[in-house]
Amino acid sequence: MDTSVAHPARRYDYWLGGKDNFAADRESGDAIAAAFPAIRTAVVENRAFMRRVVRVLAEQYDIRQFLDIGTGIPTSPNVHEVAQGTAPDARVVYVDNDPIVLAHARALLTSSPQGATAYVDADLRDPARILADPALRATVDLGKPVALILVAVVHFLPDEDRPYEIVRTLLDALAPGSFLVMSHATTDGLAPELAAQIQSGRHGPGKLRNRAEFGRFLEGLELLEPGIVSVSDWRAQDELDPRPGFNEVAVWGAVGRKTSG
Ligand SMILES: C[S@@+](CC[C@H](N)C(=O)[O-])C[C@H]1O[C@@H](n2cnc3c(N)ncnc32)[C@H](O)[C@@H]1O
């Protein structure tokens, strides 16, 4: 593990107030926070979006299987804790490519006895490898609906990594009735200098995408209400008011349902 270079999982952990980060992560995190002071609001809102969506899918759509790619350093409640809070038999596969997340995977493997969790050390850029993984196959039945969770991860893939093809490959492997849960940092609403700084590669590879570019990931899916919105506004009626403005979050969120094979 190279601790001299900032890593997304550790930088995110720093913003969330966690302890699993190093000087390089904090420096990178502080540089982004200096240019975009709302970053901590953004990460907290992104995490809250994930929790609300998982609860809604378990409670209202009977989803019992979750594939969470780009899991991050465990931050309770994680997907399985939320899902199993509603449905103790929920089964969750976590995937991340960062060794520090692997090192903390035990915190993700605390399933209820009725359900199951698994951790797969793999890269989103190799979706075939993820889908073929024996631990994934032993944990979820791809013949039944799965919620694919790509929350705050696809913006780490520049266009050269072909992110649209990757998401399509994953969705193609899922049964009708499955869902794509996605959030993605955006340039929309950001000052151009900040967008340029983030896009410069100084903070690692990736691409902020605008609303239309985000929407392309969900093409062909039936969008759940309220469609593509700030993560802070997705079915947030029970959250504290006032909700943060879009430019305090700058993360699009949406949930789409796969209706046909
Ligand atoms: C910003 S964190 C998001 C964590 C969690 N999904 C959330 O929203 O709270 C991004 C995570 O994606 C992981 N990640 C980045 N690129 C990845 C890739 N190519 N394959 C798998 N995981 C990746 C990072 O290691 C990090 O843990």
Side-chain angles (χ1 to χ4, degrees), residues 3-170:
T3 59
S4 68
V5 178
H7 274 230
R10 301 188 310 234
R11 189 173 53 209
Y12 188 75
D13 174 74
Y14 172 55
W15 287 327
L16 280 174
K19 293 188 296 294
D20 299 301
N21 48 76
F22 297 91
D25 310 309
R26 295 190 286 272
E27 271 160 35
S28 167
D30 286 343
I32 294 176
F36 182 51
I39 187 69
R40 288 186 176 82
T41 304
V43 298
V44 166
E45 289 297 329
N46 176 67
R47 195 82 198 154
F49 163 76
M50 177 279 282
R51 292 197 299 263
R52 290 197 300 276
V53 176
V54 169
R55 195 172 307 116
V56 165
L57 292 183
E59 275 176 12
Q60 297 177 26
Y61 296 88
D62 280 334
I63 290 293
R64 295 291 177 268
Q65 306 194 103
F66 297 83
L67 172 55
D68 178 27
I69 306 180
T71 298
I73 293 169
T75 304
S76 195
N78 296 293
V79 170
H80 73 282
E81 292 158 317
V82 178
Q84 292 180 349
T86 296
D89 57 339
R91 308 176 74 83
V92 181
V93 176
Y94 292 108
V95 181
D96 205 289
N97 70 345
D98 192 321
I100 196 157
V101 182
L102 174 65
H104 288 275
R106 203 175 312 143
L108 300 168
L109 301 176
T110 56
S111 175
S112 65
Q114 304 93 318
T117 60
Y119 184 80
V120 177
D121 177 26
D123 198 299
L124 174 58
R125 289 168 294 186
D126 192 355
R129 142 101 180 74
I130 294 174
L131 291 166
D133 189 274
L136 179 146
R137 294 284 174 157
T139 308
V140 292
D141 176 355
L142 294 183
K144 295 188 180 147
V146 172
L148 169 62
I149 303 179
L150 296 174
V151 169
V153 62
V154 177
H155 49 230
F156 295 110
L157 304 188
D159 288 340
E160 306 84 89
D161 284 339
R162 301 174 175 266
Y164 294 98
E165 282 175 36
I166 290 170
V167 173
R168 198 47 51 191
T169 301
L170 290 166

Side-chain angles (χ1 to χ4, degrees), residues 211-223:
R211 190 180 195 283
E213 291 167 324
F214 175 66
R216 273 184 59 202
F217 288 107
L218 295 129
E219 264 171 20
L221 303 178
E222 182 187 282
L223 285 183

